[in-house]
Amino acid sequence: MTPEQVQATAALILIRRLVRNHELTVEEAVTAVARQQRQEIGPHTHLVVQEATAVISEVAGPLRALAAAMLPAVRDAAAAMAKLLAPFRTSPAAAATKGRKDRPAWVSPYGPPPRR
């Protein structure tokens, strides 16, 4: 969905809830939602904010439950990935001793470049 379609769908949901829960007329609900979208203050602004907050909490509840249910699996997967990647990691001490000490870093291990 495009952002405009999402905004239109959200507006319709809010309008429906304002009519059902607060007994506004359709015209009042449409005007209140349109004013809120334009960031204007109107007589029903608080109702639009209240309904938007209620919609967000109704959606967030199941998402929080899903995240809590998935947490052990995510932790197990992270531990398994860390275990798989452990052999590929080198400690900073090992990396420091890995370099050659018999020549400076800028000297080629293959000798001087050929002369032309």
Side-chain angles (χ1 to χ4, degrees):
M1 291 178 82
T2 66
E4 292 81 14
Q5 290 172 327
V6 171
Q7 187 174 9
T9 303
L12 290 174
I13 291 170
L14 287 173
I15 291 167
R16 187 176 315 123
R17 288 178 67 105
L18 287 169
V19 170
R20 184 184 66 217
N21 296 343
H22 301 284
E23 299 177 356
L24 296 180
T25 64
V26 175
E27 291 81 16
E28 290 173 332
V30 168
T31 303
V33 171
R35 281 185 177 160
Q36 181 65 30
Q37 288 177 340
R38 292 189 305 261
Q39 299 177 349
E40 297 174 358
I41 304 288
H44 304 296
T45 301
H46 66 285
L47 296 176
V48 176
V49 171
Q50 178 184 347
E51 286 302 322
T53 305
V55 167
I56 289 172
S57 3
E58 289 173 10
V59 170
L63 290 177
R64 283 190 193 107
L66 176 66
M70 290 184 63
L71 188 60
V74 171
R75 284 185 181 151
D76 292 344
M81 291 297 290
K83 187 176 178 181
L84 285 173
L85 294 175
F88 298 105
R89 292 192 184 135
T90 57
S91 68
T97 59
K98 190 176 180 182
R100 298 276 311 247
K101 299 296 180 197
D102 59 339
R103 60 180 167 79
W106 52 269
V107 175
S108 170
Y110 306 108
R115 293 190 180 198
R116 293 183 186 195

